[in-house]
Amino acid sequence: MGEFAGRSIEVDVTNIAHGGVGVARHDGRVVFVADAIPGERVVARVTGDSKKSFWRAETVSVVTASEFRQPHVWTAASIDRDPADRAGGAEFGHIRLDHQRELKRQVLAESLQRMAKVTSDVQVEPLPGDDERGGTGWRTRVRLHVDDSGRAGPFAARSHRVIPVTELPLATDELSAAAPLDQDFTGSDHVDVLAPSTGGVRLIIGGKKAQKRTTITEIVGEREFRLADAGFWQVHRSAAQALTKAVQDAVDPARFDPAAHNLDLYGGVGLLAAAVADRFGPATKITTVESDAIATDYAADNLAEWIGARSETARVERWVSDLAASASASERSRLARATIVLDPPRSGAGRDVVASIAALAPAQVVYVACDPVAFARDVEFFAGHGYTLTALRAFDLFPNTHHVEAVGTLSRG
């Protein structure tokens, strides 16, 4: 493909693909075009990672603009810049916010239809305050990468080249004001900037010398969750609260048994286990399983008030498989009445984990998904074991990016 790299082509963008890129055709070949909107005609530059079967390209200029195009929310990522110099991390920032959600809806609905043969009219719901701010000011965590000269900034879109910037419009006001965009970090790999619910902004400098872990506190509703400063937490300032409520609503109370062997898989520091226990009472039995031992330790503390809650450190795929193989008859009875909350990484649960969960025969699975294609694939795997997608909601936890979160309920029988 080297002979085509750098070639300029003029194409009509017809629809959106997973990953937030537009889809076009040129001389019969599919072209995935970044920074374009379906309905536009653009001039795009073919990139070096194109394949024989398809090309990748980056929009250089717009010939016919979509009615949904707007000035980019981040000047560092604007189409006015050469593609190589555009900051990454806000790939939908040139699209009007309501249409961003429509494109995300399309990707989710089309993935479910294509992969799982499920028809859905799901809508992508905004989080409080995002419309008023045009989808900016929501990130509580930002990673800045450091180049050879010590400058910190985001990577360029679709590359590992650091782009110096003077603003971080997706970050909360507190984080944005404290971000060290003009400091020298020579000798470091990256700098994480985070603004927890309490305690103010802090930096975690990554390099050869690991920075000592400290504990932070995040507040969700009336609850506090303790976790490591470098540990996983939802990035959007309102996401933890939104997912707490969404998971609580997704559990069908007619199928929920607080005395069953309820599970929270890929449970982190216990946020969603706490959501379930909060809804169904302090006697709720629920086990959270997480491979990160540090997170599991925090989960044990965060769930201490629920006498039936416990935390396990294990790889989910192995733990569930072992449980399915070793459960006694009485244990299988408790599992058959169980609700399982499943919040896998972006790659999804996968065939083997779904099969192991299905072998437990729980009454329902509440699936929290951050990737629509992986989610649709897993819905199809669950269908093969007799589980039907009975409820689905989607949330715009990442405005001005292509990412979307879904919460689905899968019921047996």
Side-chain angles (χ1 to χ4, degrees):
M1 271 309 305
E3 72 269 28
F4 294 108
R7 176 180 174 182
S8 290
I9 56 175
E10 190 168 314
V11 293
D12 293 309
V13 180
T14 55
N15 56 307
I16 199 76
H18 178 50
V21 294
V23 181
R25 286 189 175 273
H26 181 74
D27 292 339
R29 179 185 282 107
V30 172
V31 185
F32 295 109
V33 188
D35 299 326
I37 307 172
E40 291 188 328
R41 186 170 182 82
V42 302
V43 175
R45 183 187 302 156
V46 179
T47 63
D49 58 347
S50 295
K51 310 293 183 184
K52 186 175 182 180
S53 56
F54 65 86
W55 288 354
R56 296 190 184 278
E58 298 168 317
T59 301
V60 176
S61 62
V62 179
V63 178
T64 305
S66 165
E67 61 183 303
F68 303 111
R69 181 171 284 274
Q70 65 178 11
H72 206 290
V73 298
W74 195 4
T75 55
S78 171
I79 198 170
D80 298 335
R81 289 187 167 208
D82 185 274
D85 295 327
R86 294 175 195 164
E91 64 277 4
F92 269 11
H94 61 290
I95 307 173
R96 211 170 69 193
L97 197 55
D98 58 340
H99 195 58
Q100 292 182 31
R101 295 186 189 124
E102 167 58 19
L103 295 176
K104 296 178 190 189
R105 183 202 67 78
Q106 289 176 19
V107 170
L108 177 56
E110 290 168 3
S111 297
L112 284 168
Q113 180 63 54
R114 183 179 73 256
M115 304 187 77
K117 304 301 184 287
V118 170
T119 300
S120 173
D121 59 358
V122 64
Q123 299 297 309
V124 178
E125 304 173 36
L127 268 58
D130 285 346
D131 282 339
E132 292 80 356
R133 297 195 54 153
T136 63
W138 55 268
R139 288 194 71 105
T140 62
R141 283 149 173 79
V142 170
R143 170 160 290 189
L144 302 173
H145 302 276
V146 179
D147 66 13
D148 292 341
S149 68
R151 296 179 305 177
F155 279 147
R158 299 166 293 280
S159 89
H160 287 171
R161 179 165 168 259
V162 175
I163 302 297
V165 297
T166 59
E167 59 174 351
L168 298 170
L170 300 194
T172 63
D173 292 342
E174 184 183 22
L175 190 156
S176 187
L181 298 176
D182 57 354
Q183 295 183 25
D184 185 345
F185 289 97
T186 299
S188 303
D189 298 322
H190 62 269
V191 181
D192 290 330
V193 192
L194 56 152
S197 303
T198 61
V201 176
R202 63 180 62 205
L203 306 182
I204 304 174
I205 300 173
K208 294 181 180 179
K209 290 185 178 181
Q211 194 167 324
K212 185 178 179 181
R213 170 171 58 91
T214 60
T215 296
I216 60 174
T217 300
E218 294 284 2
I219 298 174
V220 183
E222 297 179 353
R223 296 215 168 273
E224 292 186 352
F225 291 85
R226 288 160 57 82
L227 65 149
D229 54 1
F232 173 79
W233 189 255
Q234 291 292 334
V235 172
H236 191 294
R237 66 184 187 285
S238 300
Q241 180 62 52
L243 289 178
T244 292
K245 182 66 165 59
V247 166
Q248 290 173 335
D249 292 345
V251 176
D252 180 354
R255 291 176 175 265
F256 187 82
D257 180 354
H261 193 352
N262 302 299
L263 302 176
D264 172 27
L265 303 180
Y266 308 96
V269 297
L271 173 70
L272 300 183
V276 174
D278 250 350
R279 180 179 178 193
F280 292 101
T284 298
K285 296 187 183 303
I286 189 164
T287 300
T288 182
V289 183
E290 167 61 51
S291 62
D292 182 343
I294 295 173
T296 307
D297 287 345
Y298 281 110
D301 291 339
N302 293 332
L303 299 170
E305 73 178 78
W306 291 284
I307 57 174
R310 65 190 181 97
S311 57
E312 296 270 0
T313 302
R315 292 185 63 85
V316 166
E317 52 269 38
R318 183 176 302 169
W319 191 90
V320 177
S321 176
D322 290 348
L323 179 60
S326 64
S328 64
S330 61
E331 185 66 8
R332 287 194 175 279
S333 176
R334 291 184 62 228
L335 287 165
R337 305 193 307 273
T339 293
I340 295 180
V341 177
L342 180 62
D343 184 12
R346 195 167 301 282
S347 57
R351 186 187 299 275
D352 292 344
V353 171
V354 169
S356 294
I357 291 172
L360 305 178
Q364 61 185 330
V365 176
V366 174
Y367 192 132
V368 180
C370 58
D371 184 281
V373 170
F375 173 62
R377 178 205 63 200
D378 287 348
V379 168
E380 174 62 8
F381 290 157
F382 273 110
H385 296 282
Y387 285 82
T388 302
L389 186 66
T390 54
L392 178 64
R393 294 175 70 186
F395 299 90
D396 196 10
L397 300 194
F398 312 93
N400 290 307
T401 81
H402 75 276
H403 297 292
V404 62
E405 198 91 359
V407 179
T409 305
L410 293 142
S411 301
R412 174 167 52 87

